[in-house]
Amino acid sequence: MYPVSTLDVPLSLRLPKKITKVLHNADIVTVGDLLMVAPRRYYHWGRLTPLSSLREGEDVTILAEVAGAHLVANRSGSGVRLEVSLTDGVQYLSATFFAKSQFKLAPIERLLVPGQSFLFAGKVGAYRGKLQLTHPSFEGVDGEDIERIASRPIPIYPVTGTLTSWAIARAVGMVLDHLDDSDVPDTVPAVIRERQRIGTYAQCLRRLHRPESDEDYQQARRALAFTEAFVLQVGLAAQRRGVRSIPALASPADVPLVDRFIQGLPFTLTDTQRGAVDQIGADLAGEVPMQRLLQGDVGSGKTVVALIAFLQVVAAGHQGAFVAPTEVLAEQHTASLRALLAPLGDDAPDVRLLTGSTTPAARREIAQAMATSAPLIVVGTHALFQESVRFADLALVVVDEQHRFGVEQRASLRGAREDGRGVHELVMTATPIPRTIAMTVFGDLDDTRMGGMPAGRTPVATYLADAANAAWVERTWARAAEEIVQGRRVYVVCPRIDASDEVADAEEEGARPLASVEQVAAYLRSHPALAGVAIHELTGRTPSALKVQIMEDFSAGRAPLLVATTVIEVGVDVSEATLMVILDAQQFGLAQLHQLRGRVGRSSLPSLCIAMHRHELTDAGRARLQAFASTTDGFELAEADLRLRKEGDVLGAGQSGTATHLRFLSVRRDEALIRAAKDEAEALLAEDPTLRSHPDLARTLRQASDGQLEWMQRS
């Protein structure tokens, strides 16, 4: 049994029926829901100004008594206004409130009763030669210490629909007046609160909504942010402990087959590759299931590291699964693995490809091989997650571009063993993740970072080009022709597929259409500089079989210019590709731009990326493009991206605000706080793995499993 919390009490038991209904319409149902509606800002009344000294255009705070109030219909026949006469006992001033109907003004009319005193704040205006306030902020002060009220911050709440800031403030006040602090559970244990110098949960809520000073609400926000971070980190650490509590198969690290493979490579592993191989090898040699995130910049050689891990497992007699997000990438991985393994001759493990396009006969053959416990590596797409797919002896799952897959999908392969033993898991990404994000979103995974590039690779030169400069545009296509004449390949990337998309974009944005694959390909086929050049088109709508043929033609040079959407952004590896032209580059995010650039520069050939953008750029768009051109280091770009993006964009759609229950924690701002919460969470679970001594925390985690931790599925 978990303790009952006052925060779970329905608002219908604490508030009048009318306000409860309005709050319910905004999904504010319990006392806890209401108290977690954070003020969006705080207002300061400022020094009181006598009515006799008011001047038009000034922002003022006055103390006045309501002398009278009456509703007046506007002469235009549209809407009404509430005219309130204010006095300080000597002078008079009018305050006017406008609305579409008298019902909208009813709450204000009920509050501004003649004979009652209020603090009013706003900008002084003039109407027909007389000074007035329009829609001033106000708060009652009868019987209270005016100096204290005038000096303390006033919470201003977010307005949604018919729910006004004043209505929320009144509801919060009624709830706090009857809140017994002893009935409010503390998710963060007292000893941790003391170390982190934060108050009880109830104290923090009171300081958030009724601060006596700016320091009060600032401390409350920090404490509530730490609480959110702490719950997240305990949840992640518990997930990690849960997965690792099931013993996995150990594969010895010292394997002659792996040594032969490394010695036979046509290149030398970089120091960061060797470091990753050692870390992963040590994990695979143990019986604790590996859960590791391998971050490597585009072209850093993650595939080779993954293959060495597979060899270690296969040499021990087990099976491996390599999951890719697209068929094109799965096919490329298969070809790449087979080519790298070729020098091993008969000792090379069997590599099979399983995708949605695999024929029934081939699927049956692969299924038979998987069922016989024969050592092999199966490369596939989402097809590997189907219930009909059964491995007899799966020991390692490698997931490429992990953000394309949900936790449940990956867990289906982790739990693929019938004997109940755990499966090692390596998730890879070529989109470097800022450390704060990694701690917050991927805290259940150990993090390995591979920097640098393999020997023989050359950095890609990056240039920004204004599409309004005709000379630059023509030079771009001339350069494309020059690359092709030298036997090289050229990518041209567009944000849209066809003309119908363009028309929709133009109508929506009120601007000229964005570049589309269909029209750009047609234009380039007619361009004199590219006369006689075979040009292919590739988009997400291209049939699978045709995609394979297009990529083969491009790679072989039969069609050396490929006009595509971002379907080529991940993993496509054509060593002869030396020029990437990104049209309407302002439409893409930093990570996407970096991924696209990573499609060239995959050999010793000098390579170039031209990001062609519109002449009219927003400040944010210009900053993003300048950051892209300033460095080819993905980890630097990831940190720059974090600085440039809004909080809601950092975690992705549906992963911010109320969708995640992260109301106070900022992954951009709170790195030190997240790190402290992570350390505290791990120490707590080391002492109390089942949270038996911390029922309030256990209860919060149970509730969070349906919401706050749900977004970490990273789908």
Side-chain angles (χ1 to χ4, degrees), residues 299-355:
S300 61
K302 297 181 300 299
T303 304
V304 173
V305 172
L307 180 51
I308 292 171
F310 278 127
L311 284 175
Q312 182 174 335
V313 166
V314 169
H318 309 305
Q319 298 170 328
F322 196 165
V323 190
T326 66
E327 290 195 6
V328 168
L329 188 51
E331 288 154 0
Q332 289 231 336
H333 277 321
T334 303
S336 178
L337 295 187
R338 287 171 177 166
L340 287 167
L341 290 169
L344 293 178
D346 293 339
D347 293 330
D350 193 9
V351 178
R352 302 295 186 96
L353 174 65
L354 180 63
T355 70

Side-chain angles (χ1 to χ4, degrees), residues 332-651:
Q332 289 231 336
H333 277 321
T334 303
S336 178
L337 295 187
R338 287 171 177 166
L340 287 167
L341 290 169
L344 293 178
D346 293 339
D347 293 330
D350 193 9
V351 178
R352 302 295 186 96
L353 174 65
L354 180 63
T355 70
S357 300
T358 303
T359 64
R363 188 180 290 268
R364 285 193 295 272
E365 184 182 340
I366 295 170
Q368 185 176 0
M370 292 163 60
T372 60
S373 299
L376 83 160
I377 302 167
V378 181
V379 183
T381 55
H382 292 76
L384 284 173
F385 297 123
Q386 296 175 359
E387 289 187 11
S388 58
V389 176
R390 287 284 185 271
F391 285 88
D393 191 15
L394 184 65
L396 171 64
V397 175
V398 176
V399 182
D400 196 16
E401 290 307 317
Q402 49 70 37
H403 61 276
R404 306 292 184 91
F405 303 100
V407 164
E408 289 180 4
Q409 288 178 311
R410 294 195 280 109
S412 69
L413 281 176
R414 277 207 311 266
R417 296 189 60 87
E418 293 184 0
D419 61 6
R421 295 179 75 93
V423 175
H424 296 292
E425 181 181 21
L426 178 68
V427 293
M428 306 196 305
T429 180
T431 307
I433 303 163
R435 292 189 184 278
T436 319
I437 302 290
M439 280 193 297
T440 308
V441 186
F442 300 96
D444 57 333
L445 304 173
D446 293 320
D447 188 10
T448 294
R449 296 184 166 220
M450 284 171 37
M453 301 179 70
R457 296 280 181 91
T458 56
V460 179
T462 305
Y463 296 96
L464 304 181
D466 190 329
N469 189 317
W472 289 0
V473 174
E474 286 306 303
R475 178 60 194 134
T476 297
W477 306 130
R479 179 60 183 267
E482 292 166 8
E483 294 294 315
I484 291 168
V485 166
Q486 296 180 69
R488 299 170 186 175
R489 316 284 183 269
V490 175
Y491 291 106
V492 178
V493 174
C494 307
R496 296 290 177 259
I497 294 177
D498 56 31
S500 62
D501 289 338
E502 289 192 30
V503 171
D505 284 327
E507 290 176 351
E508 182 179 341
E509 299 177 12
R512 64 182 183 280
L514 297 172
S516 71
V517 169
E518 181 183 66
Q519 292 198 337
V520 169
Y523 167 74
L524 293 180
R525 288 186 183 110
S526 66
H527 198 287
L530 297 167
V533 173
I535 298 173
H536 275 342
E537 301 169 36
L538 184 67
T539 74
R541 298 178 191 168
T542 308
S544 296
L546 184 55
K547 281 182 183 178
V548 175
Q549 186 60 55
I550 287 171
M551 288 309 301
E552 286 181 358
D553 289 347
F554 180 65
S555 183
R558 292 187 290 272
L561 196 154
L562 182 63
V563 184
T565 58
T566 56
V567 292
I568 56 96
E569 79 174 273
V570 174
V572 174
D573 189 359
V574 178
S575 59
E576 294 84 5
T578 55
L579 176 60
M580 166 64 69
V581 180
I582 306 171
L583 301 179
D584 277 317
Q586 76 283 342
Q587 296 299 115
F588 302 100
L590 256 181
Q592 220 171 16
L593 289 169
H594 186 55
Q595 284 280 2
L596 290 170
R597 176 169 56 190
R599 297 313 102 212
V600 296
R602 306 184 76 83
S603 69
S604 60
L605 296 171
S607 297
L608 177 67
C609 176
I610 299 174
M612 196 170 292
H613 59 82
R614 297 197 170 190
H615 181 71
E616 310 85 6
L617 289 175
T618 63
D619 291 343
R622 190 176 305 280
R624 186 168 63 249
L625 290 174
Q626 288 173 345
F628 170 61
S630 68
T631 180
T632 57
D633 186 310
F635 291 98
E636 284 186 24
L637 282 176
E639 296 296 340
D641 199 19
L642 183 60
R643 290 192 299 271
L644 291 171
R645 294 166 78 179
K646 295 178 181 177
E647 189 71 21
D649 299 329
V650 167
L651 295 175

Side-chain angles (χ1 to χ4, degrees), residues 10 34 58 63 89 124 151 163 186 196 272 297 308 351 422 451 543 598 633 641 692:
L34 178 60
E58 290 181 330
L63 174 63
V124 179
S151 65
L163 192 57
D186 278 300
Q196 297 299 325
T272 56
D297 210 345
I308 292 171
V351 178
D633 186 310
D641 199 19
R692 183 183 298 274

Side-chain angles (χ1 to χ4, degrees), residues 223-349:
L224 293 168
F226 178 85
T227 301
E228 289 182 342
F230 179 70
V231 170
L232 279 175
Q233 295 302 332
V234 172
L236 287 166
Q239 286 179 2
R240 185 165 61 245
R241 281 174 168 265
V243 170
R244 295 176 183 181
S245 65
I246 304 170
L249 292 164
S251 300
D254 296 326
V255 182
L257 185 65
V258 170
D259 293 337
R260 271 185 58 201
F261 173 75
I262 294 175
Q263 290 168 7
L265 287 172
F267 50 83
T268 302
L269 294 180
T270 64
D271 290 342
T272 56
Q273 281 177 313
R274 288 189 178 278
V277 167
D278 290 343
Q279 283 184 326
I280 294 166
D283 287 347
L284 295 176
E287 292 190 355
V288 176
M290 173 176 70
Q291 278 192 289
R292 188 168 290 280
L293 172 66
L294 176 62
Q295 296 191 59
D297 210 345
V298 285
S300 61
K302 297 181 300 299
T303 304
V304 173
V305 172
L307 180 51
I308 292 171
F310 278 127
L311 284 175
Q312 182 174 335
V313 166
V314 169
H318 309 305
Q319 298 170 328
F322 196 165
V323 190
T326 66
E327 290 195 6
V328 168
L329 188 51
E331 288 154 0
Q332 289 231 336
H333 277 321
T334 303
S336 178
L337 295 187
R338 287 171 177 166
L340 287 167
L341 290 169
L344 293 178
D346 293 339
D347 293 330

